[in-house]
Amino acid sequence: MNMATIIKIFFFSFLFLSSAFLARPQEVDDASDEFSYDENAKNGPANWGKIWRNCNGNLQSPIDLVNKRVEVVSNLGILQIYYKPSNATLLNRGHNMVLRWDGDAGYLKINETQYQLQQVHWHTPSEHSIDGKRFDMEAHLVHMSSDGKIAVIGILYKIGLLPDNLLTILEGGLIALADRKGAERAIGIIDPNIIKLDDNIYYRYIGSLTTPPCTEGVVWTIDGKVNSVTGRQIKLLQDAAVLGFEFNARPIQLLNGRSIKFNKL
């Protein structure tokens, strides 16, 4: 083998490895290979802080919303939500299902800061609790400001006769993507306003992401109304997740003296 051939082999090998490396950031943003919800696992919730330093912080979520400890206020005002229809994609992240808006789906405004709506995903059972009671499901509407700050609206659900409107629309996609980590499906235009919120009654506190890396400084708004979802819809979400993530709620975290406000107009 002459020198020219060796150089060519080296050159094309370098191009292949380089392109593979560069493609990595384009892969699905999914950390389910890195963490688990199994309390006995080495990468389970009790050990997240050993892997991700932020998970040991003093502002962690979820928390128990104890009504006798909240500060009842009215000065937070009506929840300022300005959502609009936009194209959306359903994505199976393995540890949960996510509906991602690909265009401008509007924003949430808090203290003059606009947080653009990014996506909604689901946890079963709920992550937050009220007076020690956890619910059957919790939806998280995730928003981000232009400077990278995060605001999340949490919506609690209990099993009832009435189905959730959004999950009804997504039923076919949930079945098609079941147990297919990394798979996605274009859903078309989805109006976020189909998700009904009580804009007068809600909890507000500062917390964190509930999955690693547990980034703190998240502005949490928990809807004061508990919505209805059917048992079948919850099962569709659980069947869609990969094995081991059918139940994907982080344990309750310490409050550490944080203030919880309950806005009631």
Side-chain angles (χ1 to χ4, degrees), residues 21-254:
F21 178 78
L22 291 172
R24 281 187 156 188
Q26 306 304 320
E27 293 175 358
V28 176
D29 180 19
D30 180 14
S32 61
D33 287 333
E34 303 174 24
F35 72 86
S36 166
Y37 288 98
D38 183 352
E39 289 289 346
N40 298 315
K42 291 182 179 179
N43 61 347
N47 295 315
W48 286 1
K50 297 177 182 177
I51 308 171
W52 298 275
R53 183 180 301 176
N54 287 339
C55 298
N56 286 326
N58 292 321
L59 303 176
Q60 290 294 290
S61 296
I63 61 171
D64 182 28
L65 302 163
V66 181
N67 281 319
K68 68 180 182 181
R69 296 177 62 179
V70 304
E71 178 187 357
V72 180
V73 300
S74 60
N75 60 351
L76 294 179
I78 294 176
L79 201 59
Q80 298 184 59
I81 295 174
Y82 305 93
Y83 293 157
K84 55 186 178 181
S86 179
N87 278 310
T89 299
L90 188 63
L91 168 66
N92 188 334
R93 291 198 297 189
H95 61 282
N96 63 21
M97 298 297 296
V98 177
L99 181 70
R100 181 188 70 228
W101 278 277
D102 299 318
D104 181 5
Y107 60 91
L108 164 68
K109 189 175 182 181
I110 301 176
N111 295 331
E112 303 305 317
T113 298
Q114 290 187 14
Y115 297 85
Q116 195 74 22
L117 177 61
Q118 305 289 318
Q119 48 107 324
V120 60
H121 62 267
W122 298 266
H123 295 267
T124 58
S126 73
E127 296 202 297
H128 289 86
S129 59
I130 298 178
D131 288 332
K133 174 181 173 58
R134 266 190 153 155
F135 296 84
D136 298 302
M137 185 180 81
E138 182 171 343
H140 289 166
L141 283 159
V142 182
H143 310 71
M144 183 175 290
S145 67
S146 58
D147 58 353
K149 296 175 183 176
I150 300 171
V152 182
I153 297 178
I155 310 166
L156 303 172
Y157 295 80
K158 63 181 179 181
I159 292 177
L161 296 177
L162 295 177
D164 175 68
N165 292 334
L166 179 56
L167 289 178
T168 297
I169 294 173
L170 299 178
E171 181 175 318
L174 292 172
I175 294 171
L177 300 181
D179 203 29
R180 294 174 56 199
K181 178 184 173 183
E184 59 182 59
R185 179 174 180 170
I187 301 299
I189 295 177
I190 297 291
D191 186 352
N193 291 298
I194 198 173
I195 304 171
K196 299 303 180 184
L197 297 167
D198 190 325
D199 55 10
N200 293 312
I201 302 175
Y202 56 88
Y203 299 87
R204 171 70 53 74
Y205 80 99
I206 303 300
S208 73
L209 299 179
T210 63
T211 56
C214 310
T215 305
E216 294 190 333
V218 175
V219 181
W220 276 95
T221 302
I222 307 296
D223 191 355
K225 178 185 70 176
V226 177
N227 290 305
S228 175
V229 63
T230 64
R232 181 176 182 276
Q233 289 179 321
I234 287 181
K235 189 173 189 305
L236 283 174
L237 286 171
Q238 292 176 334
D239 288 347
V242 299
L243 184 63
F245 288 99
E246 294 84 358
F247 301 96
N248 58 352
R250 187 187 189 188
I252 295 295
Q253 303 297 298
L254 295 175

